[in-house]
Amino acid sequence: MLRLSILALTMTLLSGMVGCSQGADDPGSHPQEAAAHETEGKLSEQGPPDSNALENANSGTLDDLTTETSTTKDNRSSEPTARATEDFPEPAQVPENAERIYGHATGSEGWFIYSALQGGQASLLTFYSPDRGANWKSSAWKLDPDLNQRMTDSNIFVAMAKTGGKNQIWILLTSDPGAGLMTKKLYLSDNEWHSFSLVSDVSDKVEGYVSGVTFADAQHGWIAASYHDSVSVPLYRTTNGGKSWALQRIDIPEGFKYGNVSPPQFDASDSKTGSLAIEFVSDTENRTYTYTTKDAGEHWDNMFHSK
């Protein structure tokens, strides 16, 4: 894939700059404003960047630099994640040192995230196209200090839910574990990645290694994990858009020691109908149980299992 230099990207950002929004017209009407008591409470700051914007990050914030660009180049590459559509053209203006860590496409819309490290500061570069790559909107974020590492596809989990014809996109970022601790922060955008706001820090709420995040609608979501020392299945649920999380109890079948959970999947035409796969592990076998719901995940019924 043809990529421009960092200097060329910076000049593109400067020439096509549009003002970054705070992501909410009414502070009380959007769930992303729920955690304003957290550090800064937002991922983005207003104001145009200077030419060294990617090199000089302000500690504790993500400077959200947004521009619109146009390209008709059909860039195809190998598939690093299962979430991207192979034949969707990627943006041509990605820096050479950036690595794609997320991709997703639905019809004419495409969303991509790249990880970069400049001057010891970790950044995420996001791109959104509404028209199969003819035009792109892009943002560059500098990560919070406790997430200041080069992100990989194992550190990022994305969920989307459409409300009133509008996409809401959650990103859960995790750090690599250090001294048994792992930072886990959930962010939300309702403007196609133009800006993000911190919803909640779930570092001390979600135990284990995150395996995925799902939202059935704007309020009901799940974080799935793997945790071998747990006496419960590590499945966490929110009913208020990610502001708070609670362990959703699912009993471990007799004879098994723990369960590894995959994120629930919901019917695109009916958010109340979904399925949940859990791999239960004993000393002698691993067995996957499938659960279903008809009430948006309020209850999960065990339907069958397979070896």
Side-chain angles (χ1 to χ4, degrees):
M1 178 180 65
L2 177 62
R3 295 183 172 180
L4 305 181
S5 67
I6 291 296
L7 177 60
L9 172 66
T10 304
M11 296 302 294
T12 301
L13 289 171
L14 288 172
S15 62
M17 185 62 56
V18 298
C20 294
S21 70
Q22 294 288 343
D25 298 325
D26 179 0
S29 64
H30 296 284
Q32 65 261 44
E33 296 296 333
H37 63 279
E38 302 273 357
T39 302
E40 292 290 333
K42 294 181 173 62
L43 282 171
S44 62
E45 294 182 343
Q46 289 185 334
D50 59 27
S51 60
N52 297 317
L54 289 180
E55 298 285 348
N56 301 310
N58 292 324
S59 180
T61 65
L62 298 184
D63 294 336
D64 189 304
L65 320 181
T66 304
T67 185
E68 294 190 24
T69 55
S70 177
T71 176
T72 56
K73 183 175 179 59
D74 185 6
N75 296 309
R76 302 193 183 193
S77 64
S78 60
E79 179 56 53
T81 75
R83 293 164 289 190
T85 300
E86 292 183 359
D87 62 351
F88 198 95
E90 290 192 51
Q93 62 272 30
V94 180
E96 289 186 359
N97 72 329
E99 177 185 358
R100 194 180 92 173
I101 59 175
Y102 177 81
H104 177 75
T106 302
S108 63
E109 293 183 289
W111 299 262
F112 294 87
I113 301 178
Y114 297 80
S115 175
L117 191 64
Q118 295 294 323
Q121 173 66 51
S123 298
L124 292 182
L125 311 178
T126 66
F127 295 85
Y128 165 70
S129 174
D131 48 18
R132 287 198 58 80
N135 296 281
W136 292 94
K137 294 181 179 180
S138 61
S139 295
W141 315 337
K142 298 173 182 65
L143 297 178
D144 292 336
D146 51 0
L147 289 168
N148 188 28
Q149 64 177 64
R150 181 156 190 156
M151 295 281 116
T152 69
D153 58 5
S154 64
N155 301 116
I156 183 170
F157 304 88
V158 182
M160 295 187 185
K162 190 176 289 290
T163 303
K166 189 176 186 180
N167 287 322
Q168 289 187 295
I169 309 174
W170 289 264
I171 289 185
L172 179 62
L173 295 179
T174 69
S175 68
D176 292 334
L181 302 175
M182 180 186 293
T183 299
K184 308 179 184 84
K185 288 187 174 182
L186 181 71
Y187 304 95
L188 173 66
S189 174
D190 62 0
N191 53 20
E192 305 298 359
W193 290 356
H194 179 80
S195 62
F196 280 82
S197 294
L198 181 65
V199 178
S200 58
D201 185 337
V202 298
S203 304
D204 60 351
K205 300 178 181 68
V206 174
E207 293 185 302
Y209 294 89
V210 174
S211 58
V213 58
T214 297
F215 275 80
D217 54 43
Q219 299 301 317
H220 297 87
W222 288 262
I223 295 175
S226 173
Y227 186 39
H228 293 183
D229 294 328
S230 176
V231 296
S232 302
V233 173
L235 180 66
Y236 299 85
R237 184 181 181 226
T238 181
T239 58
N240 56 12
K243 301 173 192 175
S244 60
W245 296 84
L247 188 67
Q248 187 170 33
R249 178 173 176 176
I250 296 179
D251 293 333
I252 297 177
E254 185 176 354
F256 292 94
K257 300 172 65 175
Y258 60 88
N260 299 319
V261 190
S262 298
Q265 302 295 319
F266 287 87
D267 191 321
S269 61
D270 178 10
S271 62
K272 292 184 178 297
T273 301
S275 62
L276 172 68
I278 305 176
E279 179 193 43
F280 291 103
V281 180
S282 71
D283 290 331
T284 59
E285 67 172 326
N286 295 8
R287 183 176 295 183
T288 299
Y289 283 65
T290 299
Y291 297 76
T292 62
T293 183
K294 296 291 185 181
D295 57 10
E298 186 71 27
H299 304 91
W300 294 98
D301 300 316
N302 180 19
M303 296 298 293
F304 58 90
H305 61 80
S306 60
K307 291 186 178 180

